[in-house]
C-alpha cells in the first residue's frame, strides 16, 4: 500500500470571509510543503481573479499573506489518506477534517468554496446541517488533471469575490 499522506494546517484568521477547501495536496505540494505547488495547477491564477490582485506573481509566503489580506482562507477536507500519486480518485481510507468546527470558529465567514468534486462531496458531508449557515460554491477543480480550460473555470471562481466585501 502507498504511504499515508498528510494535509497542511489551515490558512485563516478571524476576518476570513470565504474558505476555499481542496481535497488533499498532491505529490508536488507535499514535497514542497506548499499549497498548490505544481506549476500547472491553476489555483493561484484563479484565486488571483477572485481576489482582484495578482497573487500568483508573489512568492509563497506573500501569497498566503495576500490570501489573508483578501479575507480568503485555505484548507483541505481530508486530513490524511492512503494515496498513490496525486489523483483524488486514488484516495483511500481518508481521515476527514472537522470543517464544521473550523467554520464555526470564523466569525466573519460567509461562504465555503469547494475546489473540485471530491472536496465538495467530502466537505458537504462533513458540514452536514451546518452547510445551510453559509453560501456554498462548487468550483471546477484547479488541478491540471481537470482539463476544463481556465476560461471556463474563471466565472465560477470569480463568484468568490461576491462574499469578500
Amino acid at each position: 500500500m502507498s504511504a499515508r499522506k498528510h494535509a497542511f494546517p489551515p490558512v485563516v484568521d478571524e476576518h476570513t470571509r470565504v474558505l476555499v477547501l481542496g481535497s488533499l495536496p498532491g505529490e508536488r505540494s507535499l514535497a514542497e510543503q506548499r499549497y498548490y505547488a505544481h506549476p500547472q495547477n491553476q489555483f493561484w491564477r484563479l484565486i488571483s481573479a477572485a481576489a482582484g490582485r495578482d497573487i500568483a506573481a508573489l512568492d509563497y509566503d506573500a501569497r498566503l499573506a495576500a490570501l489573508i489580506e483578501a479575507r480568503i482562507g485555505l484548507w483541505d477536507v481530508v486530513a490524511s489518506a492512503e494515496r498513490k500519486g496525486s489523483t483524488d480518485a486514488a484516495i483511500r481510507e481518508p481521515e476527514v477534517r472537522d470543517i464544521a468546527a473550523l467554520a464555526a470558529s470564523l466569525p466573519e465567514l460567509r461562504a465555503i468554496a469547494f475546489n473540485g468534486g471530491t472536496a465538495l462531496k467530502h466537505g458537504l458531508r462533513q458540514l452536514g446541517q451546518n452547510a445551510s449557515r453559509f453560501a456554498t460554491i462548487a468550483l471546477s477543480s484547479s488541478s491540471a488533471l481537470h482539463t476544463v480550460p481556465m476560461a471556463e473555470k474563471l466565472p465560477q471562481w470569480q463568484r468568490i469575490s461576491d462574499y469578500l466585501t
Side-chain angles (χ1 to χ4, degrees):
M1 191 61 169
S2 59
R4 191 150 193 94
K5 314 291 171 73
H6 297 273
F8 309 135
V11 176
V12 295
D13 74 3
E14 68 275 7
H15 302 295
T16 298
R17 291 195 175 174
V18 177
L19 179 60
V20 179
L21 296 172
S23 54
L24 181 69
E27 294 297 315
R28 179 83 173 255
S29 292
L30 291 169
E32 295 186 24
Q33 288 294 291
R34 300 183 325 164
Y35 279 103
Y36 303 103
H38 197 288
Q40 292 178 341
N41 191 297
Q42 298 169 332
F43 176 82
W44 294 108
R45 289 173 286 169
L46 290 163
I47 206 68
S48 291
R53 173 177 180 191
D54 189 3
I55 295 173
L58 304 173
D59 69 33
Y60 184 68
D61 289 337
R63 286 177 177 181
L64 297 183
L67 282 180
I68 292 296
E69 184 179 311
R71 299 177 160 205
I72 298 170
L74 190 56
W75 209 28
D76 290 304
V77 297
V78 176
S80 70
E82 299 286 333
R83 185 184 65 204
K84 183 176 182 179
S86 295
T87 67
D88 286 353
I91 292 174
R92 301 288 180 263
E93 300 180 32
E95 175 190 329
V96 297
R97 298 282 177 98
D98 191 345
I99 303 299
L102 179 64
S105 76
L106 301 172
E108 295 184 29
L109 188 65
R110 295 180 177 178
I112 300 176
F114 300 96
N115 185 359
T118 300
L120 178 67
K121 179 182 78 171
H122 285 285
L124 289 178
R125 186 179 312 134
Q126 292 164 44
L127 283 169
Q129 64 189 25
N130 293 314
S132 63
R133 293 181 45 215
F134 311 100
T136 54
I137 306 168
L139 302 169
S140 288
S141 174
S142 65
S143 171
L145 298 173
H146 186 65
T147 58
V148 173
M150 187 165 148
E152 290 181 31
K153 296 177 185 182
L154 201 51
Q156 295 171 3
W157 283 77
Q158 286 177 315
R159 288 186 52 219
I160 290 171
S161 65
D162 296 343
Y163 301 93
L164 297 177
T165 56

